[in-house]
Structure formats: structure tokens, C-alpha cells
Amino acid sequence: MNGFQTQTGARAAYNGRKLSEYLLTAPSFLWLTLFFAIPSVLVFAIAFRTADPSGGIDAGWTLASVESVLKNAYLGVLWRTVWVSCAVTAICLALGIPVGYWIALQNPKYRYWLLLVVIIPLWTNFLIRIFAWRVLLHPDGFLRQSLVALGIVPDDVFFLNNIGAVIVVTVYTCLPFAILPIYAAAEKFDFSLLEAARDLGASRFCAFRRIFLPGIRRGIFTATLVVLIPALGSYAIPDLVGGVDGEMLGNKIAAKASAYRNLPEAAALAAFLSIIITLPVLLFLLKQKRIIRSVVAARRSAGDSTK
Amino acid sequence: MGEFFEFKNIEKYYGATHVVKNVSFGVRCGEIFSLLGPSGCGKTTMLRIAGGFETPESGEVFLDSVNITSLAPNKRKINTVFQNYALFPHMNIWDNIAFGPRTAGLPESEVAKKVECMLDIIRLGGHGSRMPDTISGGQKQRVAIARALINNPKLLLLDEPLAALDLKLRQYMLLELDRIHDEVGTTFIYVTHDQGEAMSLSDRIAVMNGGVIEQIGTPAEIYENPRTKFVASFIGDTNFFDGKISGQIDGETCRISMDELGEFPSYNEHKLSNGAKVTVSIRPEKFRIFGSRAEAEGLNALEAEVIDVVYQGAQTRYWVLANGHRINVLSQHNRCYLDSKQPTWGDKVWIAWHRDDVTTIPFESPR
């Protein structure tokens, strides 16, 4: 009898806690529903509507837009979008990891100044920075003119309006967002572990690869996500410095929506892009969850309930 | 005579700070050698120089007669147990211990055999799959030792390995370290600021202070016969008296006049001549307490007043006042403590000591 009462009491307390949890998360939940979930569903839904020639949506349902998206015409752009984004991410990591490592090793007094240097470009408007790159990379610009004059670059090489320009400018834009999470992880990294690895016979490079990189893996994952996802959806950079060869999926969506006035097809493309972005994130999150679960299980088996 | 491991004239600066001043000493094969000193005395720097993490400004380091001064840490047959253990947090115990042999490129079957063997030695068999953050401090400590020893180092460096453990665990780990040392026979250099650890573990101790070695010797030599005032005060408790040699009795004994206390025959190890200023060190337990001068027959004795009594179970610590000097006296309890009359506050007593229980240190001008 007594035990039963205690049990119901505990259940009530549990339910109460659950309720307060719901109430606490309700505002953000509402926000996400209104401004993320519903628009996403709308985009997915519009993809199956028929197009209105004046640029709106007509009555009725059709698979025409989806079929059109899956046609070969887009595969080239899709492939370019993916490989450019992956290349941008790889370059950002290749630059961001050494920079983050180096900043973390500096005297704390100077670290914040160095971080400031990383962040300062972000104070200037995104579009203005891209236009600055246009000036810099322009065929008659200072950079190309002097390189050609010095004979370093042949006269028929152009820097602007090609895929190379898209990669360079996207890397420039995304690099701070790669450096910051990597630095945050590196700053917490215990550098005496590298000494321990060296002590146990590892070369500098081996210690870096086997101890430092796994040690900051969370920072690397975060950097990958915050670079890869915006890169996949980039629109302004390819539009302004990419030329015809530098077009990406984002530009196609914009063209469908504004130039072709075909909203369903734009929506289908957008949905397609969302799926492409969501898949790697989902895989990553699943992996994270598995790691967390295995750590929890290990702790539990160790009889350690405190952590 | 060639030492197994040797520092020769090591000098080290951190910026403008001179942290190691012309230090030379050797370590014999198979011994546990302690570097003992207060924090900031340069002992950890010596260890880091031995491990290859610091390069001395001048001087040389020899291991087995080979000059290793400029060798990178990964090229030395020396391994380190770090103060914070420095276990790799993303690897389980097994992979942590296997790190060295794997890096050396040993086949996985051989690695497995060695790891199992090490897990047995540190008595953590079956715990290989645990992650470092799921085991206790003492277990981490043992894993760190195993991870170092699996590489068969010629020399194992231990940097304050017990500092992070609580008292009980520290005592247990001291025994464990001794057992592991007996089992593997590797030469250990053990850095600590804890004289108790150094005394109970070491074959020999080097006492460091202010970047120099003050004394090297067995624990008993260091305790019973300190060379400098610093060593006498850092290792155990002692009473210091300023004095002057006032006469010679025979080759080994002299008369020392100690401030206002009087003149006493004392052992004169350094064969100091008359007039030399000295510091006299007498350990608290070397004193005996008597009720009258007659009982202290044949000993040096001073009349004193008991001003404090601290009962500590196995012993009692007395503070007595003799002619303005506060003297610390430690009396071991013998049988029938409660039945015999013990000195108490305000008692007039005689404290007595044997002339050979005196350590005479040549006077050092304050540094």
C-alpha cells in the first residue's frame, strides 16, 4: 500500500517535471514550427502543384516539376554544386585546422587579437566584400595585370567569372566560420597529450594526426557543417563571380523563380537541395547519438552515476 | 666510473630566469632515484630535459654512455609518466597502452601480447575496453605507468605521479610503484616535492633548491647527515642553533659554543677549526626529556621549561623554552604511558642529547 503510494507520488512528480519541460521549450518549438517547419512543408507541397504562367501557383497536382528536376539537365549543376562545396569545405578545413591550432598555442593575451583579425572581415557587408573580390580578380584588375606583366600568369588566364573564382571567394567567406569552432575545440585541447605521444615514440606529424585531430573532432565536425551547408546553398557568390560556368543549384532556383516564373519547379529544386543537405547532417547526428549512447553505456557499466 | 644516466653541467634559462644552474649528477642502473625539492626548484625542468622536451642552454645528457642531448623525445629510450597522466581521452585503456608499440610498427598479435602482459602487471586485466574518464585516479595512474613501461624504456621518468591522489591511495600507489619496479627492474627517476614519498621509495635522493643540487645520498644519509641548512630543514623537522667552534676534543669531536646556551661537545664531521662559525642542527627526536640533570648522565643537557605539549598517540611533541630558544622535542612513547608521570605545561625539565646526534653545518651567509 505504502509502496504503491510512493510510486504514484513519484509518477506525479515525473509528470509534473515533464509538463514544465514542455512549457519551457514551447516558445522555441512554436518559433521553429511557424518559421521553419511550415515553410519547409509549403516548399515541398508547392513542388507538386502546377505552374501558373503569370508566376504563381495553379490549382491541381502534378509530378511534372519533380520529373523536370530529375531530368539530366540538372545533374551537371548538381554535381558542380556538390564538388565545389566539398572542395570549399576541404580547403577551409586545411586552412582552418592549422590556424586554429596555431592561435590556441599563442599566449592568451594575443589570442583575442588574433581572433579579432579573423572576425574583422565579417564587419563589412557580405555583398561589398564580394564586389571587392570582383575588382581584385577583374581581367583589368591590379592582381592579374601585374601577374601577367611579371610573366607568372599567361595572358589567356582569367581569374573572374569561372569556377575557380567561386571557390576562392566562398573559401574566403566561410573561413572564419571554420576557424572559430576549430579554435574553440583546440583551445580546450590538452597540449600535454602531444608531448605524451611524442614521448611514446610518435613523430610530430603522427602525434598531430593521431592525438590532436581526434581531440578536436567535434570542432572539425562543426566546421564541416557550417561551411558545407551554406556552400551547398550558395547563390550570391556564383552569381557575382561565377559567370556561366560557375552556376550552382542556388542560381538555378533563383532563375526558376524569377526569370522563368515557374514557382513549382523552383520549389522542387529547393526541396531537392534540402534533401541533399539534410542527408549528411542526419547521418552525422545519428553517429553523434551512437557515440553519446556508447559513452553513457560505458559509464554506466563502470558504475559511475555521477557523470 | 660511468653512470647509467648522467647530467653533465646542465644550464637552463626560462627567459631571464636561471632555473637550472650547472647541475651534474648520475643515476645508476636499476635504481629509484628521486629529485626532491620545493616547487620552482628546477626538478621538473631536469625531468623535461631528460625526456627531451626542453633543450638545455649548455651541458650534456648521457644515457648508457650515449650523448642524447639533442635527440628528439620520440628517439629516446626514455618514457615519462606525466603528472596529469595525459591519457589519450579518445582511446580506451587498451589502445592507450598499445600506443607505443603500435607507433613502433609492431605486428598487432605482438602488441596484444604485450598489452595483456602490462595489464596483468598493473592488475587491470579485463579493463582494457574502459575509457580513461570512466576509471579512478589510481587506475589512471597505473595505466599511465603501463603505457610508458610497455616500450621497455631504459629509463622511466615519473613527474609527481602521486600528487593528484588522496592520502590513502598515495600510500597504496607507493607500494604499487615499488612492486612494479621490482617486477620490471627499470631505472626510475622520480620527481616529487613530498619528502615522505622520496624517503620511502628511493634508493638515492637528490635534494634540489633554487636550481642547484644541495645534496645527493641515500634517504638515511640525507636525513641523518644533511650537508646544508636547506636540506636539514626541508627533510623532516629540526632545531637550528648558531654557534662557533671553541675548541677541539679529539679528531672527531669539538666544542661548540651555542649562542647563550653554553658550550657543548659535538661531533665535528667537517673537521672545522677553532673560530669557525657553524649552524647546529638537532632533530626533535634526538632529544630526551629528564626531570633532573643527574638522569642525563654522559649526555649534553639544557635546562628548559615546557611551554606546549601536543599528544600525538605514538609520540608527544613538546615545545620547550631554554634561555630564549624555542626547541622542538619529539618523545616516542614507550610502555605504560598512562602510568608514568609525563612532563606538562610549566614543568622545569632537562633536555638531553648525545654529542654524536648533532649535525654541524658550516655557516652559510644568507642567500
Side-chain angles (χ1 to χ4, degrees):
Chain A
M1 189 70 188
N2 208 4
F4 176 73
Q5 269 175 343
T6 329
Q7 214 171 24
T8 47
R11 163 107 8 123
Y14 175 74
N15 285 340
R17 206 165 60 230
K18 266 245 133 118
L19 185 69
S20 70
E21 266 172 30
Y22 282 133
L23 286 175
L24 275 172
T25 52
S28 47
F29 190 70
L30 207 71
W31 180 274
L32 276 175
T33 312
L34 268 178
F35 299 110
F36 174 71
I38 294 177
S40 299
V41 171
L42 282 178
V43 167
F44 274 79
I46 290 169
F48 295 96
R49 302 305 292 263
T50 51
D52 169 3
S54 68
I57 314 154
D58 230 347
W61 300 87
T62 174
L63 283 173
S65 304
V66 178
E67 274 168 15
S68 147
V69 161
L70 293 176
K71 269 194 313 203
N72 284 346
Y74 291 111
L75 277 182
V77 179
L78 172 66
W79 168 239
R80 187 189 301 142
T81 306
V82 170
W83 86 253
V84 166
S85 304
C86 289
V88 164
T89 309
I91 296 170
C92 279
L93 289 181
L95 295 172
I97 291 170
V99 171
Y101 173 86
W102 182 75
I103 296 179
L105 273 181
Q106 301 309 306
N107 184 328
K109 260 195 299 198
Y110 307 122
R111 272 188 219 160
Y112 295 102
W113 290 106
L114 291 168
L115 284 177
L116 199 67
V117 169
V118 171
I119 295 165
I120 278 177
L122 302 180
W123 292 357
T124 310
N125 182 282
F126 173 65
L127 283 174
I128 293 175
R129 280 181 287 142
I130 298 172
F131 276 109
W133 273 101
R134 276 186 66 90
V135 173
L136 190 68
L137 299 177
H138 197 273
D140 298 329
F142 160 77
L143 187 66
R144 181 170 173 280
Q145 288 297 324
S146 39
L147 286 178
V148 169
L150 287 169
I152 297 170
V153 163
D155 201 25
D156 56 350
V157 169
F158 295 93
F159 296 156
L160 196 60
N161 293 333
N162 55 34
I163 204 74
V166 174
I167 291 176
V168 167
V169 178
T170 314
V171 165
Y172 161 79
T173 316
C174 292
L175 194 56
F177 301 107
I179 292 175
L180 291 179
I182 288 170
Y183 162 75
E187 195 241 334
K188 287 192 208 82
F189 180 77
D190 176 6
F191 282 90
S192 70
L193 295 178
L194 292 184
E195 273 189 1
R198 297 271 286 146
D199 186 76
L200 294 168
S203 64
R204 261 174 219 284
F205 177 71
C206 174
F208 183 85
R209 190 175 56 82
R210 289 179 60 190
I211 306 301
F212 182 72
L213 289 187
I216 60 157
R217 63 192 181 284
R218 274 171 197 285
I220 295 175
F221 282 142
T222 312
T224 305
L225 288 184
V226 298
V227 172
L228 185 64
I229 292 172
L232 280 169
S234 61
Y235 155 71
I237 296 172
D239 196 44
L240 290 170
V241 302
V244 192
D245 298 339
E247 211 182 27
M248 286 169 70
L249 219 48
N251 306 95
K252 277 276 187 252
I253 296 171
K256 285 287 166 206
S258 55
Y260 294 87
R261 301 212 151 259
N262 188 340
L263 217 50
E265 217 164 290
L269 259 180
F272 192 44
L273 186 59
S274 317
I275 292 169
I276 292 171
I277 292 174
T278 313
L279 271 179
V281 178
L282 220 60
L283 281 175
F284 165 66
L285 287 179
L286 280 176
K287 193 169 168 264
Q288 284 279 77
K289 209 166 175 184
R290 215 176 51 230
I291 291 171
I292 292 167
R293 206 177 297 146
S294 72
V295 168
V296 169
R299 286 204 172 127
R300 205 165 281 159
S301 76
D304 183 358
S305 57
T306 54
K307 284 178 188 169
Chain B
M1 168 187 122
E3 302 272 10
F4 180 66
F5 176 81
E6 203 170 3
F7 285 120
K8 266 192 186 155
N9 308 103
I10 301 291
E11 296 271 3
K12 179 73 193 171
Y13 291 82
Y14 286 137
T17 323
H18 199 177
V19 285
V20 175
K21 299 168 186 165
N22 195 18
V23 168
S24 305
F25 65 84
V27 176
R28 295 171 197 149
C29 190
E31 77 176 340
I32 302 187
F33 187 94
S34 284
L35 264 173
L36 174 65
S39 57
C41 71
K43 57 191 191 302
T44 297
T45 306
M46 293 308 290
L47 205 70
R48 292 178 59 80
I49 290 171
F53 301 112
E54 304 281 356
T55 319
E57 259 72 50
S58 69
E60 288 164 319
V61 186
F62 290 90
L63 177 66
D64 226 354
S65 314
V66 180
N67 188 335
I68 59 164
T69 318
S70 52
L71 220 54
N74 50 331
K75 306 277 186 222
R76 301 185 179 201
K77 285 296 285 173
I78 296 177
N79 287 111
T80 310
V81 176
F82 293 88
Q83 185 171 359
N84 59 356
Y85 321 127
L87 299 182
F88 304 130
H90 61 286
M91 297 182 186
N92 64 20
I93 304 303
W94 174 286
D95 292 334
N96 261 283
I97 297 176
F99 188 89
R102 276 179 183 158
T103 306
L106 258 59
E108 202 59 24
S109 60
E110 204 170 320
V111 172
K113 222 183 294 170
K114 293 187 98 171
V115 173
E116 284 298 341
C117 172
M118 282 324 295
L119 281 171
D120 278 347
I121 289 182
I122 59 166
R123 296 184 178 159
L124 279 176
H127 286 65
S129 60
R130 301 270 291 266
M131 297 304 280
D133 59 353
T134 67
I135 61 175
S136 71
Q139 288 172 328
K140 280 183 199 168
Q141 182 63 76
R142 282 183 279 164
V143 173
I145 293 169
R147 190 180 67 171
L149 282 176
I150 195 168
N151 307 296
N152 299 321
K154 290 182 172 174
L155 179 65
L156 184 72
L157 309 174
L158 300 108
D159 186 7
E160 306 249 5
L162 309 183
L165 306 178
D166 61 54
L167 182 65
K168 270 271 181 288
L169 205 53
R170 209 148 61 215
Q171 289 166 344
Y172 170 71
M173 279 308 295
L174 267 181
L175 295 175
E176 280 289 291
L177 270 176
D178 211 16
R179 177 183 67 78
I180 292 169
H181 179 258
D182 288 348
E183 222 160 296
V184 297
T186 310
T187 310
F188 283 18
I189 296 185
Y190 187 96
V191 159
T192 181
H193 65 269
D194 185 311
Q195 44 139 332
E197 279 174 22
M199 297 274 255
S200 46
L201 194 64
S202 321
D203 295 303
R204 288 191 306 149
I205 299 175
V207 183
M208 262 192 106
N209 183 35
V212 297
I213 301 275
E214 296 256 345
Q215 185 171 358
I216 298 181
T218 63
E221 279 167 9
I222 299 257
Y223 184 81
E224 299 291 343
N225 202 358
R227 299 263 154 172
T228 66
K229 202 170 165 181
F230 174 82
V231 174
S233 62
F234 191 72
I235 320 276
D237 293 326
T238 194
N239 297 288
F240 286 124
F241 306 93
D242 289 333
K244 202 157 66 171
I245 310 269
S246 55
Q248 304 287 339
I249 297 174
D250 57 44
E252 299 221 303
T253 322
C254 66
R255 255 183 244 288
I256 298 179
S257 82
M258 282 165 22
D259 291 356
E260 309 81 31
L261 298 176
E263 199 182 49
F264 300 97
S266 302
Y267 179 56
N268 183 8
E269 194 214 352
H270 299 285
K271 308 269 187 303
L272 299 169
S273 47
N274 290 352
K277 289 174 85 176
V278 293
T279 300
V280 172
S281 158
I282 307 175
R283 301 259 182 215
E285 73 278 7
K286 305 295 186 194
F287 287 111
R288 295 182 64 192
I289 296 197
F290 296 108
S292 65
R293 178 69 181 96
E295 287 173 75
E297 180 64 45
L299 299 174
N300 295 330
L302 262 179
E303 194 173 17
E305 184 193 340
V306 177
I307 53 172
D308 204 0
V309 180
V310 183
Y311 176 74
Q312 293 176 337
Q315 63 227 356
T316 301
R317 191 173 291 278
Y318 296 97
W319 286 97
V320 304
L321 200 63
N323 221 345
H325 282 263
R326 274 168 63 90
I327 301 172
N328 180 0
V329 175
L330 193 66
S331 165
Q332 201 64 32
H333 297 158
N334 295 319
R335 284 162 298 163
C336 310
Y337 176 79
L338 287 175
D339 294 339
S340 50
K341 179 173 177 336
Q342 302 298 331
T344 182
W345 285 269
D347 280 2
K348 290 273 180 254
V349 295
W350 286 84
I351 56 166
W353 69 97
H354 192 271
R355 58 177 69 171
D356 288 350
D357 283 337
V358 171
T359 306
T360 314
I361 301 161
F363 182 79
E364 305 155 14
S365 42
R367 279 186 287 190

